[in-house]
Amino acid sequence: MVLDYKKIMAMLPHRYPFLLVDRILSVEPGKRIVGLKNVTINEPFFQGHFPGHPIMPGVLIIEAMAQVGGVYAVVSDEVGEDKVTYFVGIDKAKFRRPVVPGDSLRLELEMVGVRRGIYTFAGKALVDGKVVAEAELKATFVDREG
């Protein structure tokens, strides 16, 4: 299953400049999801992080992983599109190397489990097959307002 940005936008409330997933490359309901973020020099965060030495902030790499997890929950029929994702925990986060303009960030999340409405994912971000960041993400889903 491949999803483009239009389908992703139908599932997530995020919009420019905070939508950090360009495409979903594959989904295995109950198991894993793989997303893609193409990092360009036009990203608004590069203006201040850092002038003359652009590096994607680690927290935004984690956020991109979380957005892929939100798509997973909708596509897997775990939650409806009327829900919004709330982070409840980030554990074991590690940043292995900088992500720079021109990188294609492959975001791989494996479903670890669900307990009392808390979903746990093991996430990795890769560039050219090398891990650049990893974390264990925990999220819950609440009703959208409005």
Side-chain angles (χ1 to χ4, degrees):
M1 172 186 302
V2 175
L3 303 174
D4 65 13
Y5 75 94
K6 291 177 190 174
K7 291 177 182 166
I8 293 166
M9 287 174 64
M11 296 178 198
L12 297 178
H14 306 81
R15 297 294 179 264
Y16 177 85
F18 213 68
L19 181 62
L20 299 173
V21 182
D22 295 323
R23 186 177 309 137
I24 298 298
L25 302 174
S26 66
V27 181
E28 294 176 55
K31 293 185 179 183
R32 70 189 308 255
I33 185 168
V34 178
L36 178 70
K37 166 66 178 154
N38 291 308
V39 181
T40 74
I41 191 63
N42 296 318
E43 308 290 345
F45 48 79
F46 284 138
Q47 186 174 15
H49 199 265
F50 298 102
H53 187 72
I55 297 173
M56 184 174 186
V59 295
L60 294 182
I61 297 169
I62 299 293
E63 174 63 27
M65 282 188 224
Q67 289 180 18
V68 170
V71 171
Y72 170 88
V74 173
V75 170
S76 299
D77 290 325
E78 299 281 341
V79 299
E81 291 181 30
D82 60 333
K83 302 285 185 184
V84 67
T85 308
Y86 281 5
F87 260 139
V88 296
I90 304 168
D91 296 317
K92 303 177 186 170
K94 293 183 179 145
F95 303 97
R96 306 271 183 212
R97 82 166 190 82
V99 174
V100 298
D103 285 346
S104 289
L105 199 55
R106 182 180 171 96
L107 305 154
E108 299 180 356
L109 277 82
E110 301 229 359
M111 180 67 162
V112 175
V114 182
R115 188 171 184 183
R116 290 188 267 169
I118 306 292
Y119 290 70
T120 302
F121 297 92
K124 288 185 202 171
L126 301 99
V127 172
D128 296 328
K130 295 178 181 155
V131 176
V132 297
E134 58 190 311
E136 184 176 275
L137 308 175
K138 294 180 182 177
T140 192
F141 301 89
V142 298
D143 292 330
R144 284 190 197 197
E145 295 180 15

